[in-house]
């Protein structure tokens, strides 16, 4: 079930540690269709949900349009009135009828919600909502309630730690975790490395774990066994495996 507060909390916790605008607001596309088109084009989609075209709505719309103009190849924009009968599918998808509006919500190409701002938004906030592909994969995993297992390797031909493979294949974690492999030499992921404070100067693979809502669990190298890592995750209180849920009485 999608909740705005949960997704926003995940983004805040983790971060703390382009089509032409007129085409993107085409009248023949609904919000859901725009979302599908943007995913195909690998674009972030900005939805401005509103009820009235008041000053706050106009101000937010202007800020979003400037941002989309500046990142035309990477972004799309859709303005949606929450009372529009033709837009109820996208309104229900994001529970927009219960939002404090006007509200801007951004969706990455993979479906991760990368920002939610009510009543006002700045250019810097919108800029920070543009995530690299690997960063978006980590955010999506956390929003799905899963542990994000980030394998940092030297280059695309390098292999993750054996412990990472064991972790992803284990009975406890295979359905409760998402594996994200990222190369330290991938310049396109520079923003990801910077935001999650990853040191790219590595001689061997590392394994970095995050748990919902964006909790950093640790960084491990080849000296750490699967058993040691699994024990740390189980003890963190952030594990959603069957054993831990039973232990917590869920």
């Amino acid at each position: 079930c999608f909740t705005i507060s949960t997704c926003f909390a995940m983004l805040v916790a983790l971060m703390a540690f382009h089509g032409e605008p007129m085409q993107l607001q085409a009248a023949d596309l609904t919000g859901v269709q725009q979302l599908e088109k943007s995913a195909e084009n690998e674009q972030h989609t900005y939805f401005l949900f509103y009820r009235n075209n008041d000053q706050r709505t106009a101000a937010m719309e202007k800020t979003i349009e400037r941002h989309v103009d500046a990142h035309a190849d990477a972004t799309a924009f859709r303005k949606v009135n929450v009372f529009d009968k033709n837009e109820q599918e996208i309104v229900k998808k994001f529970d927009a009828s219960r939002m404090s509006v006007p509200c801007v919500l951004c969706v990455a190409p993979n479906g991760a919600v990368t920002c939610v701002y009510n009543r006002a938004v700045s250019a810097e906030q919108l800029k920070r909502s543009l995530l690299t592909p690997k960063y978006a994969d980590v955010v999506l995993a956390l929003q799905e309630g899963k542990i994000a297992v980030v394998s940092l390797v030297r280059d695309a031909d390098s292999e993750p730690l054996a412990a990472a493979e064991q972790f992803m294949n284990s009975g406890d974690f295979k359905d409760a975790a998402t594996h994200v492999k990222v190369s330290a030499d991938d310049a396109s992921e520079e923003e990801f490395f910077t935001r999650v404070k990853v040191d790219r100067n590595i001689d061997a693979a590392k394994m970095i774990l995050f748990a919902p809502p964006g909790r950093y669990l640790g960084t491990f190298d080849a000296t750490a066994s699967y058993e040691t890592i699994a024990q740390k995750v189980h003890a963190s209180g952030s594990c959603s495996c069957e054993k831990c849920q039973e232990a917590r009485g869920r």
Side-chain angles (χ1 to χ4, degrees):
C1 178
F2 179 89
T3 63
I4 294 298
S5 58
T6 299
C7 284
F8 189 58
M10 289 175 180
L11 279 167
V12 169
L14 187 59
M15 289 179 180
F17 176 125
H18 297 346
E20 294 299 326
M22 291 305 293
Q23 293 176 321
L24 299 172
Q25 187 65 21
D28 59 338
L29 290 181
T30 65
V32 168
Q33 290 170 337
Q34 180 62 73
L35 200 58
E36 294 170 350
K37 180 181 177 181
S38 295
E40 293 174 1
N41 294 336
E42 298 185 354
Q43 294 174 317
H44 283 64
T45 307
Y46 291 88
F47 290 99
L48 177 58
F49 293 105
Y50 73 104
R51 292 189 177 88
N52 303 300
N53 271 314
D54 53 21
Q55 290 184 340
R56 288 185 184 274
T57 301
M60 289 184 74
E61 182 176 7
K62 187 175 181 179
T63 302
I64 297 167
E65 286 180 337
R66 283 198 297 261
H67 171 72
V68 171
D69 282 342
H71 303 87
D73 292 335
T75 60
F77 175 45
R78 184 78 192 176
K79 186 178 178 183
V80 177
N81 189 308
V82 295
F83 296 131
D84 189 336
K85 293 182 180 179
N86 296 320
E87 293 287 9
Q88 289 310 296
E89 188 174 0
I90 198 71
V91 169
K92 291 178 181 177
K93 180 178 179 65
F94 295 116
D95 202 16
S97 63
R98 299 175 61 185
M99 290 178 177
S100 174
V101 294
C103 174
V104 59
L105 177 147
C106 182
V107 185
N110 70 339
V113 175
T114 69
C115 83
V116 181
Y117 294 108
N118 307 92
R119 300 172 67 79
V121 68
S122 70
E124 181 60 27
Q125 287 171 326
L126 292 176
K127 182 180 178 181
R128 287 181 60 81
S129 69
L130 291 173
L131 306 187
T132 66
K134 298 299 184 182
Y135 194 10
D137 287 343
V138 171
V139 170
L140 181 62
L142 298 175
Q143 290 178 351
E144 290 177 340
K146 295 183 178 182
I147 295 169
V149 180
V150 180
S151 285
L152 180 65
V153 296
R154 286 183 298 175
D155 52 52
D157 295 326
S158 300
E159 293 296 325
L161 293 180
E165 300 286 359
Q166 286 181 275
F167 192 95
M168 292 306 304
N169 291 324
S170 70
D172 286 349
F173 302 115
K174 65 180 180 180
D175 295 325
T178 296
H179 192 201
V180 180
K181 180 182 175 182
V182 58
S183 301
D185 65 353
D186 187 349
S188 68
E189 292 294 334
E190 178 65 35
E191 186 74 7
F192 171 54
F193 299 136
T194 300
R195 291 202 201 181
V196 298
K197 299 179 174 62
V198 170
D199 183 3
R200 298 171 59 186
N201 297 315
I202 60 171
D203 295 321
K206 293 184 181 295
M207 177 180 175
I208 309 168
L209 296 182
F210 295 97
R215 183 182 177 190
Y216 170 69
L217 298 182
T219 298
F220 308 91
D221 58 23
T223 63
S225 67
Y226 160 72
E227 291 75 18
T228 299
I229 297 171
Q231 184 178 15
K232 184 175 181 64
V233 174
H234 287 313
S236 71
S238 299
C239 181
S240 61
C241 77
E242 186 174 340
K243 292 179 183 177
C244 288
Q245 290 191 57
E246 289 179 355
R248 291 193 293 266
R250 294 183 181 178

